[in-house]
Amino acid sequence: MLKFRFLLWALTKLLQRAVKKNAACARYIHEKRLVFQIQTADGTGRHFSIADGKVNSSAGLTPNPSFTMTFRNAQRGFAVLSAKDGTDAFLSALRDQDLVIRGDFIEVMWFQGLTAYLQADKALDPH
């Protein structure tokens, strides 16, 4: 559970750094307004907000996110979110029902685009 919580906190810091150091990433979120959360089935999680060109997060859940990514448990969440091949891990988790997504799927896809800026080999502009 601690690894999962730490990973969610670290995700915020990594996204903040990407926005600060990568002009393409900053442009990607420039006019975006979004609140979403990543959690486990038992309700442990973190909610994230993107607004005014910034990424922030807080521990706990929010009542009206645009989308929610719910992992079966913290171990599966950590494994999927920290996988080297994130796309395959993400799709496998969906297929195996280790991950359930609720809400606006278009926003989920937008978020997947944002996470592409975290990949070292696509650091300049993944799009």
Side-chain angles (χ1 to χ4, degrees):
M1 184 69 73
L2 266 172
K3 283 188 195 178
F4 180 69
R5 287 181 180 175
F6 177 76
L7 183 63
L8 294 181
W9 173 84
L11 176 61
T12 306
K13 298 302 179 191
L14 291 170
L15 289 170
Q16 289 170 337
R17 186 174 80 192
V19 169
K20 183 177 180 180
K21 296 191 178 274
N22 186 329
C25 183
R27 282 190 304 274
Y28 190 74
I29 73 162
H30 176 67
E31 293 186 13
K32 189 69 172 177
R33 289 188 134 356
L34 175 65
V35 175
F36 65 95
Q37 61 195 18
I38 302 174
Q39 67 180 62
T40 60
D42 68 3
T44 298
R46 190 166 193 91
H47 66 277
F48 299 78
S49 64
I50 298 171
D52 303 321
K54 295 180 181 165
V55 177
N56 292 296
S57 76
S58 297
L61 306 180
T62 187
N64 296 309
S66 293
F67 69 86
T68 300
M69 296 172 56
T70 304
F71 290 95
R72 180 181 309 270
N73 56 44
Q75 293 79 14
R76 288 301 301 141
F78 181 81
V80 171
L81 293 174
S82 62
K84 287 195 184 260
D85 189 351
T87 301
D88 282 346
F90 186 81
L91 293 173
S92 292
L94 285 169
R95 183 191 65 233
D96 298 341
Q97 297 183 348
D98 285 335
L99 171 61
V100 175
I101 298 174
R102 288 190 176 84
D104 189 337
F105 198 73
I106 291 171
E107 296 293 16
V108 175
M109 297 307 295
W110 181 90
F111 174 68
Q112 288 292 86
L114 175 60
T115 62
Y117 287 100
L118 301 178
Q119 297 174 9
D121 59 327
K122 294 183 178 183
L124 293 178
D125 188 355
H127 301 288

